[in-house]
Amino acid sequence: MLTKSPYILYSNGEGQIFEDTSLYVVGRTGWDAMPIPTEDWIELPDGGNLYELPGRRGIGIDVVTGEMRLCEKGWAVAAFIPPAHTGFYLAAYETQPDAPTLPLFCYTAAGWLNDKFYVPAVRIERDIRQECSGFDQNKVNLGVENMLEAYPHNRLVKHLAENCALTYHCPAARNYFIGRWECPIPSSPACNANCIGCISFQPEDETIVSTQDRLTFKPTAAEIVEFTVPHLETAPYPIVSYGQGCEGEPLLMWETIRESIIEIRKHTKKGSININTNGSKPAAVEALMKAGLDSIRVSLNSARPDIYAKYYRPNNYKFEDLIESLKIVRKYGGWASINYFTFPGMTDSIAEYEALCNLIAETDLSMIQWRNFNIDPDWYLGRIGVADTGECMGIKQMMDLIHEEFPHVKFGYFNPPIERMKNYDVDFAH
Ligand code: SF4
């Protein structure tokens, strides 16, 4: 644990980053800049990146006067912390009027001390499936070659190979081609929501681009079954997951998904079948549970219906539908997670804490995946019209209180394999 605050970082606008030892770094929550407790800092984990933030001046505390002031030496710097870690504070900066909107990544506070980079965060997940040191590109390339040869007519395997694994470097797709753990099944070219920060589709007139392109075809059940059954049969801790970042909403394809689940389970009982979804169609979820679905992960930026609606801008569904979907999965004995877009200043507000407690109690939720929200903080708060986030308790304290209130609710970052659904603390050495 650190005994003093790290120094602020700045960039010279040419991608070079320096520390300014006249200023201690501070963090941001909502619209407010504040000091970060020294016990909240960890070394920037392997796989983390540092970003310069053009048109933004970092905010720090003068090491002599103790006054908060801007770092005028260059642009502000933030950290993209790797999966399995959740950030406690955003990077704090002042945005100039002509500053460009930042792309869809997370912007966690970052500092420098004792020749190391530090971030205020916690490792929330011990599963190593997305450790960047665990990916051998030669194995991925060999897997791609073998699978394209094994399934020459399968459009989905071709998409997972050429787009997901080799272009977007999607960890889930790369794990599939290495023959391990969670295998992605993108299935829907369309969506019934219009998320402001959608990662697979951004309107032409938007200033930012989506991080990947949306699927352009509707796979058949046969195409899905062809490559998923061998994965479930042979991979360690196998999961197959509908609903990926490169598609719309999988529940719009529920008939095809149901048909594929029934067919998969005719061939193998191994592993688990999961769906990542916006939870908009509870009747479809019930049909999938009856067919053999094991778990669901519902994505949300907030447990408050009004904040949810301002971000998701749903077509023909309402917040109560995703609550119903979670309840249905629990009714059938399935595992129900939320993919909780964690944003300091919104997630840890008193109002959000109360709403989340209600959601957990009403749905008998199994797990919270505390996901860093990949979005420009000013842009997000501006677009959902939040000028004042209200009283906040801090992400760390919120996690502690939720754990105290609901000790059975698991915390993590990834969909657990069947072995962990049965015993979450099982020692699953990958
Ligand atoms: S639910 Fe997913 S695919 Fe649909 S708009 Fe939101 S982020 Fe995009």
Side-chain angles (χ1 to χ4, degrees), residues 2 11 17 27 35 59 125 140 205 209 254 259 265-266 268 298 312 322 371 381 394 399:
L2 293 183
S11 140
I17 291 175
I59 299 171
E125 169 68 74
V140 174
D205 58 359
V209 295
W254 73 271
E259 190 187 336
R265 286 310 184 205
K266 279 186 195 154
T268 179
V298 171
Y312 273 77
L322 65 90
R371 291 283 182 120
L381 293 174
M399 288 176 173

Side-chain angles (χ1 to χ4, degrees), residues 191 193-195 198 200 214 247-248 278:
C191 190
N194 306 285
C195 297
C198 178
S200 66
R214 198 172 277 179
E247 65 172 298
N278 62 22

